[in-house]
Amino acid sequence: MRDALDATPYDALLLLSFGGPEGPDDVVPFLENVTRGRGIPKERLKEVGQHYFLFGGVSPINDQNRALLDALRKDFADHGLGLPIYWGNRNWAPYLTDTLREMVADGHRRILVLATSAYASYSGCRQYRENLADALAALEAEGLELPKIDKLRHYFNHPGFVEPMVDGVIQSLAELPEEVRDGAHLAFSTHSIPTASADTSGPAEGHGEGGAYVAQHLEVARLIADAVRERTGVDHPWQLVYQSRSGAPHIPWLEPDICDHLEERHDSGAPAVVIAPIGFVSDHMEVLYDLDTEARAKAEELGLPMRRSATVGADPRFAAAVRDLVLERASVERGQAVTPCALGALGASHNLCPVGCCPARAPRPAAAGVDSPYA
């Protein structure tokens, strides 16, 4: 972690997230925001919303973000970093455009953005950049002075993101019955995306089977599995698996699905499974429903002992990692030599998304990249 607490030239940090409903009446309007432009009937959205209604119509993601905000503000204050932190969402209040308008009114002109997605993909990076461009265009139309916005690099392999997940896996293994613990398989789970999106994730020169999305997740899975082996003395078999598939069935998505994987592990004689949701920063709806509800029911049906390890959430080590990333990027902007903090073989991700990185389904302006119209 960096010692020099100088965030210059930045004067604010924006936590940018997906958003989620906070009551039953919010569910369908929230899903309308998520699916805007796709022409999905309201009755279909009500069906999709059943996942939310099972939990009282409340997604945990907003409370998770509030907890992360508190952790970030505490860490920054404890270390003397006087950088105000704001929060905006893509799909629910507080909305991104409203938050940016507030930041401009408060006098902020150099803003860093932390997205609650650690990996490269269209939905996890470029779509957030498109949302930022849309928000800036709205402020421009209102005649407001536009801030310069940069986005923090992907942090999938920062130790402050990886180490809490290592602890979570080790804790979950310890919760398994002793007779099945050492033979337990590790299933590292993330959100499935269309294979075409995966293949074009990351910089264009790295496009190919799985692209950066799969490569980065595999790297994190290896890092965690290696750390678990070093700390427990047991080499657990592991695999990267996927969840939360949606969309037309004829379009190929990344596989295997977590429930199919549980059946395969049971049929192959695995005595137990620990599911580690490495693709998610916090326990939002995909974790609560697809893992804690559907996957758990599948494991119980199979008689397969299963534990789900914790996400990073508001772990103080993650808050410290964000501080480190802020200071790293600030040093880069000031033209100073920087040694980025990253584990494994892939190294630190780029600071500016290059042209062709995680291309959009249709061309749209995107902020905080080489091709940004708001440089």
Side-chain angles (χ1 to χ4, degrees):
M1 296 295 178
R2 263 149 271 277
D3 293 325
L5 299 180
D6 184 3
T8 310
Y10 298 107
D11 54 29
L13 176 68
L14 167 63
L15 175 66
L16 176 57
S17 194
F18 192 81
E22 300 201 78
D25 293 341
D26 296 345
V27 172
V28 171
F30 163 73
L31 292 173
E32 287 175 332
N33 288 341
V34 174
T35 61
R36 181 169 285 115
R38 301 183 204 172
I40 299 176
K42 183 170 288 191
E43 291 307 311
R44 173 59 182 151
L45 294 179
K46 289 179 181 178
E47 293 175 20
V48 173
Q50 291 307 312
H51 296 181
Y52 292 94
F53 292 126
L54 285 174
F55 296 89
V58 178
S59 168
I61 191 170
N62 280 353
D63 277 346
Q64 292 278 343
N65 282 324
R66 292 183 184 103
L68 179 56
L69 276 172
D70 289 343
L72 291 172
R73 287 168 177 158
K74 181 180 187 305
D75 179 272
F76 284 21
D78 287 350
H79 292 85
L81 181 58
L83 196 68
I85 308 172
Y86 294 73
W87 168 36
N89 290 323
R90 285 169 49 181
N91 299 299
W92 202 247
Y95 288 103
L96 169 60
T97 301
D98 295 336
T99 300
L100 272 184
R101 186 182 296 110
E102 177 187 359
M103 296 176 81
V104 168
D106 289 346
H108 299 298
R109 297 296 180 267
R110 289 297 304 270
I111 296 170
L112 260 178
V113 174
L114 167 67
T116 54
S117 175
Y119 302 87
S121 70
Y122 171 75
S123 57
C125 183
R126 186 177 177 91
Q127 192 169 15
Y128 282 107
R129 295 175 49 226
E130 291 175 351
N131 298 143
L132 286 165
D134 291 343
L136 289 169
L139 299 189
E140 187 175 39
E142 296 171 14
L144 298 178
E145 183 179 352
L146 298 187
K148 184 179 188 309
I149 292 180
D150 291 321
K151 179 177 173 291
L152 290 173
R153 65 176 173 88
H154 302 302
Y155 45 85
F156 64 94
N157 56 358
H158 195 288
F161 184 68
V162 175
E163 288 167 2
M165 293 190 289
V166 173
D167 287 350
V169 171
I170 291 174
Q171 178 62 40
S172 292
L173 287 167
E175 293 170 359
L176 287 168
E178 187 175 358
E179 63 271 17
V180 300
R181 187 178 304 150
D182 286 355
H185 287 229
L186 309 181
F188 295 105
S189 187
T190 190
H191 208 299
S192 184
I193 61 175
T195 56
S197 294
D199 294 346
T200 56
S201 58
E205 63 270 19
H207 290 177
E209 188 175 357
Y213 187 75
V214 171
Q216 291 171 359
H217 280 89
L218 285 172
E219 180 78 341
V220 171
R222 289 190 195 100
L223 288 167
I224 296 172
D226 288 350
V228 169
R229 183 183 64 250
E230 291 169 5
R231 287 172 53 179
T232 67
V234 179
D235 192 5
H236 292 273
W238 63 269
Q239 186 170 340
L240 179 63
V241 300
Y242 302 93
Q243 61 177 90
S244 313
R245 185 204 154 115
S246 61
H250 68 279
I251 298 175
W253 283 54
L254 293 172
E255 297 177 336
D257 175 77
I258 179 60
C259 289
D260 294 339
H261 178 72
L262 292 175
E263 289 190 348
E264 292 166 1
R265 294 286 68 79
H266 173 261
D267 293 346
S268 68
V273 173
V274 167
I275 301 176
I278 63 172
F280 304 90
V281 171
S282 64
D283 291 7
H284 48 81
M285 188 54 69
E286 284 87 349
V287 175
L288 291 191
Y289 184 80
D290 297 324
L291 298 184
D292 292 353
T293 306
E294 282 196 326
R296 188 172 300 281
K298 173 58 71 174
E300 290 174 355
E301 172 193 321
L302 296 168
L304 180 66
M306 184 272 277
R307 297 292 184 275
R308 194 269 289 176
S309 67
T311 52
V312 172
D315 190 288
R317 288 167 293 184
F318 182 47
V322 173
R323 168 169 43 88
D324 182 66
L325 291 165
V326 166
L327 297 175
E328 173 196 303
R329 184 59 183 274
S331 295
V332 169
E333 290 299 303
R334 295 195 302 268
Q336 297 172 333
V338 176
T339 302
C341 191
L343 299 173
L346 294 183
S349 184
H350 49 260
N351 281 319
L352 276 177
C353 291
V355 175
C357 189
C358 303
R361 300 179 182 92
R364 284 182 59 192
V370 171
D371 56 352
S372 171
Y374 298 102

